[in-house]
Amino acid sequence: MPKFDRPQPPVFERVEDERLYRKQHLAAAFRLFGRFGFSEGIAGHITARDPEFTDHFWVNPLGKYFGHIRVSDLILVDSHGEVVKGNAPVNRAAFAIHSQIHEARPDIVAAAHAHSLYGKSWSSLGRLLDPLTQDACIFYQDHALFDDYKGVVLDTSEGKRIAEALGDKKAVILKNHGFLTAGSTVDAAAWWYISFERSSQAQLLAEAAGKPVPIDDEIATLTHSQVGTDSRGWFSFQPLYERIIEEEPDLLN
């Protein structure tokens, strides 16, 4: 079998270049979330850890439509929830949740949360996803359930409990709320969210049609090792990134 050298996330010598890369891919992720219909009012946020000030993160400004976000619109928030770069307010729930995720998981560069249709629907069931398809195996034994909804997350104590539920996994289902995904790159976190949303949609459709047959544990575990790595998540996002910057280059402004 011929060897395929899959592209890997870039490594930067200058922190300024890495910061710009993260911000460009973050803005692109928002545009794509808007394109996929994941935007709902002022809800939802994706964060990217700053590569220099690692207790700070870049995030969307409160009230800005995902599909209009540019690099220059992103705001930088410190560990106290203060906006230190940008002229717009931060979503309080974004700080309450993401600050605790980033603090608990130094390996996480980005985390994504939105109120997407199938994420909301699946979250109401209070169940983990089953390994029904190859794509669903991305999350096999690699996602968790936060079964303690108490209204809009406005306090870091609840964000901390969400981080504890996430543990060392790539995704958490927030019961009666939606999904949150995380990754070592913006690209992986965004791709995990897109894939998690589609996998939940697929399971809802399969269960509506009949009784789906899951993949057995051994094969699901193997498949997870093949499709569930962060480098695979990063790579899977690249065609979407290339498409969105070609079609909407203003996002780089």
Side-chain angles (χ1 to χ4, degrees):
M1 180 180 293
K3 183 180 179 182
F4 173 57
D5 293 322
R6 190 166 63 216
Q8 298 295 320
V11 176
F12 298 91
E13 294 184 0
R14 295 183 348 118
V15 71
E16 295 84 0
D17 296 334
E18 186 168 11
R19 177 181 293 119
L20 178 59
Y21 178 90
R22 290 185 185 183
K23 291 173 68 178
Q24 289 174 336
H25 286 241
L26 182 58
F30 282 117
R31 291 290 181 103
L32 288 162
F33 273 34
R35 183 80 65 94
F36 290 140
F38 297 165
S39 182
E40 182 157 328
I42 63 170
H45 15 86
I46 313 173
T47 54
R49 190 191 301 273
D50 187 81
E52 181 177 10
F53 306 104
T54 56
D55 62 346
H56 294 41
F57 57 76
W58 296 91
V59 67
N60 50 310
L62 178 64
K64 184 80 173 181
Y65 172 54
F66 286 177
H68 292 164
I69 289 177
R70 303 166 299 171
V71 168
S72 58
D73 294 317
L74 299 171
I75 59 175
L76 182 64
V77 179
D78 68 14
S79 59
H80 303 291
E82 298 296 326
V83 176
V84 296
K85 292 284 186 181
N87 299 310
V90 63
N91 185 314
R92 187 173 170 188
F95 175 73
I97 296 173
H98 291 255
S99 65
Q100 301 308 300
I101 297 289
H102 284 285
E103 182 177 345
R105 291 278 301 276
D107 60 306
I108 285 176
V109 164
H113 168 65
H115 291 187
S116 49
L117 179 59
Y118 297 103
K120 290 189 295 184
S121 301
W122 185 264
S123 75
S124 71
L125 303 178
R127 297 165 48 197
L128 297 177
L129 283 178
D130 295 325
L132 299 186
T133 66
Q134 176 173 297
D135 293 327
C137 289
I138 289 171
F139 307 100
Y140 183 65
Q141 296 185 340
D142 201 7
H143 69 293
L145 175 66
F146 179 69
D147 188 10
D148 193 19
Y149 179 72
K150 294 185 182 300
V152 178
V153 182
L154 299 176
D155 192 278
T156 55
S157 62
E158 185 160 358
K160 183 176 182 180
R161 291 188 293 113
I162 292 173
E164 290 171 350
L166 174 65
D168 62 355
K169 296 176 170 56
K170 64 162 60 81
V172 60
I173 297 167
L174 310 178
K175 187 180 176 185
N176 304 113
H177 188 172
F179 295 153
L180 182 142
T181 59
S184 62
T185 60
V186 172
D187 310 62
W191 176 252
W192 296 148
Y193 191 95
I194 294 166
S195 187
F196 208 29
E197 171 78 2
R198 288 177 168 175
S199 291
S200 65
Q201 179 183 7
Q203 183 159 350
L204 287 166
L205 289 170
E207 291 186 352
K211 187 175 181 179
V213 179
I215 299 168
D216 68 51
D217 292 347
E218 182 179 355
I219 299 302
T221 300
L222 171 64
T223 307
H224 176 271
S225 72
Q226 296 168 326
V227 300
T229 63
D230 259 24
S231 62
R232 176 64 180 257
W234 173 86
F235 188 35
S236 295
F237 186 77
Q238 300 317 298
L240 293 176
Y241 179 76
E242 292 170 4
R243 175 185 173 183
I244 200 68
I245 61 171
E246 181 174 334
E247 294 179 356
E248 303 180 25
D250 67 295
L251 74 87
L252 299 175
N253 295 339

